[in-house]
Amino acid sequence: MSAAIIDGKRIAAGIKEELKALISAVPQEERPGLAVVLAGDDPASAVYVGQKEKSCNEIGIHSFMHRLPGTAAQGDIIELVEKLNGDPKVHGILVQLPLPNGLDSDQVIATIRPDKDVDGFHAVNAGKLWTGGDAIVPCTPMGIMALLDSTGVDLKGMDAVVIGRSNIVGKPISALLLSRHCTVTICHSRTRNLPSVVRRADVVVAAIGKPNFVTGDMIKPGAIVIDVGINRVGGKLAGDVEFASASEKASWITPVPGGVGPMTIVMLMKNTLQLAGVLK
Ligand code: GUN
């Protein structure tokens, strides 16, 4: 079998056009505002933040960039977040992670007002996600669900295996798959015999940050494979899934680049519109 490609770039472009049309109906002074805080000079973070800023400009969201030096103190970041919490022009606040060593990201996230928490990382939103409430959902998992929905496959009753247990991807995507009635297994670095667990999966979500970790021999024939990895290997991007061997077994697969990545950014835009009340 040769898998069909889930074209995240195309799907994201379509959603982006819909959001752009929605914003165009909003007067300039009432348009949504997204504040992005970047501390330090991590090159990957600088690229992601640049992409977010560009997307905001393209669809008509006001973007407020706050670049702090890597030497910024915890108190400086907390003070900035508190200021953004009180700024009526700012509807969403994103603090790019990871923060430089020595800074406490949990405390920073806890300072963001839950109704401006565009990443859905605050405990209030994470709690609502798990209890079935009206949560702001983290962007990457929301993008993954849109990619799964694009296949038209009914997820109900499927075995889903999530590899990785981060607060950004692994845990929230597990909650979303559970809400769609999948039987969800979360694997991580201490999981015993991980390949045999992954082999049971109808849906595999790989979010571990290890290039080409999931190989074709771990994929059940016909499975849907979602690759969240963005790893730089010798100047090139590699996913967490070895694409060539996995696509021989899967029914659907996301490429890297052009799969999950573009969806994350467009879902950030969507969450910003939701927080600004432009989207219900
Ligand atoms: N670092 C990696 N992914 C993300 C994300 O989705 N949001 C933030 N704030 N930081 C990240």
Side-chain angles (χ1 to χ4, degrees):
M1 179 181 278
S2 183
I5 305 278
I6 308 178
D7 186 348
K9 198 171 164 193
R10 185 183 55 79
I11 297 167
I15 299 172
K16 197 165 162 182
E17 284 310 310
E18 287 170 21
L19 299 179
K20 197 171 168 181
L22 275 172
I23 297 181
S24 68
V26 179
Q28 267 293 342
E29 61 280 6
E30 290 168 30
R31 291 206 173 162
L34 174 67
V36 176
V37 179
L38 173 64
D41 47 17
D42 178 69
S45 290
V47 170
Y48 299 146
V49 162
Q51 290 169 342
K52 290 167 187 177
E53 196 178 12
K54 182 166 166 262
S55 273
C56 282
N57 293 335
E58 282 168 359
I59 76 165
I61 292 175
H62 292 298
S63 85
F64 305 102
M65 272 304 307
H66 296 269
R67 289 189 166 83
L68 302 178
T71 52
Q74 180 78 11
D76 299 336
I77 300 183
I78 297 285
E79 202 176 303
L80 173 58
V81 169
E82 281 169 346
K83 195 173 117 222
L84 298 169
N85 278 342
D87 184 341
K89 290 196 292 301
V90 171
H91 302 93
I93 302 171
L94 179 147
V95 178
Q96 186 65 28
L97 302 177
L99 288 173
N101 282 342
L103 296 177
D104 177 356
S105 51
D106 290 344
Q107 191 200 16
V108 173
I109 289 166
T111 305
I112 299 172
R113 249 173 62 177
D115 63 346
K116 290 195 175 189
D117 172 33
V118 73
D119 266 320
F121 293 165
H122 191 287
V124 165
N125 284 310
K128 282 184 182 173
L129 180 60
W130 281 99
T131 52
D134 195 9
I136 287 294
V137 179
C139 309
T140 300
M142 200 155 65
I144 294 171
M145 293 314 292
L147 292 177
L148 288 171
D149 286 340
S150 78
T151 67
V153 174
D154 183 6
L155 300 175
K156 199 185 324 148
M158 284 195 158
D159 280 320
V161 170
V162 174
I163 317 174
R165 55 175 156 179
S166 70
N167 290 336
I168 298 180
V169 182
K171 287 182 209 164
I173 189 62
S174 300
L176 292 173
L177 290 165
L178 186 61
S179 74
R180 294 293 192 84
H181 313 292
C182 289
T183 302
V184 182
T185 305
I186 307 176
C187 295
H188 46 79
S189 55
R190 318 287 164 85
T191 297
R192 270 190 246 144
N193 204 353
L194 186 142
S196 74
V197 179
V198 178
R199 256 177 229 123
R200 295 202 301 260
D202 303 305
V203 178
V204 179
V205 177
I208 29 192
K210 290 191 180 152
N212 305 314
F213 180 85
V214 176
T215 46
D217 61 299
M218 299 185 203
I219 302 298
K220 175 170 154 179
I224 305 176
V225 178
I226 305 289
D227 188 351
V228 187
I230 303 180
N231 310 288
R232 264 155 245 272
V233 182
K236 278 188 75 177
L237 281 190
D240 289 350
V241 177
E242 191 184 74
F243 185 85
S245 61
S247 61
E248 281 173 21
K249 304 281 281 298
S251 57
W252 294 92
I253 192 165
T254 62
V256 176
V260 174
M263 295 299 288
T264 296
I265 297 182
V266 86
M267 291 303 167
L268 173 67
M269 306 292 115
K270 193 172 177 187
N271 274 353
T272 307
L273 265 65
Q274 195 184 328
L275 292 174
V278 174
L279 195 68
K280 294 290 168 264

